[in-house]
Amino acid sequence: MADSKDAWERAGQSFERLGAQLREHYRRTGEDHGGTEVDDALRRLGDALDAAVKAVGETVRDPEFQETARNAAKALGDALSTTFEQVGAQVRGRWERRGDEERSGPP
């Protein structure tokens, strides 16, 4: 799960940089953007993004979540494997029938 942790940390850092760039751009414009309401909304948005990234980071470190994620990945793999086996059997069946029809000639 180290790769997952690193990935979420990089995502969090990316959003932090994005937020900093937005704040800097907003500050540099020097325009009146609606005053405190807009500033408060931007701050709340930044806080919400930060909280979301931290929550995801904490969640992926939780052993119970890791076990659930492994089980979900295994179930997905099993479902895909079963589906491909069934599709393969159907394709083989059609090819075999086609071959039988070609060998027997026209009716």
Side-chain angles (χ1 to χ4, degrees):
M1 280 294 175
D3 291 336
S4 179
K5 178 184 176 199
D6 293 341
W8 281 108
E9 285 180 5
R10 285 191 306 273
Q13 291 167 354
S14 294
F15 277 103
E16 286 176 13
R17 285 191 301 273
L18 180 63
Q21 288 176 351
L22 286 170
R23 279 190 302 276
E24 181 60 24
H25 180 73
Y26 175 79
R27 187 189 60 75
R28 275 188 280 150
T29 61
E31 297 175 17
D32 182 9
H33 295 283
T36 333
E37 289 180 24
V38 173
D39 291 340
D40 288 345
L42 290 172
R43 183 187 45 74
R44 285 192 308 270
L45 177 61
D47 291 347
L49 285 172
D50 186 49
V53 169
K54 285 180 183 175
V56 169
E58 290 172 7
T59 300
V60 298
R61 287 189 290 275
D62 177 19
E64 185 177 342
F65 175 84
Q66 292 173 1
E67 180 66 23
T68 302
R70 275 192 292 276
N71 291 339
K74 183 182 180 319
L76 176 62
D78 291 347
L80 288 170
S81 177
T82 300
T83 300
F84 286 122
E85 286 174 12
Q86 290 174 348
V87 168
Q90 290 174 354
V91 169
R92 279 190 301 279
R94 288 186 183 169
W95 277 106
E96 288 170 1
R97 284 193 300 277
R98 183 176 179 197
D100 290 344
E101 290 172 359
E102 289 177 358
R103 282 191 292 277
S104 65

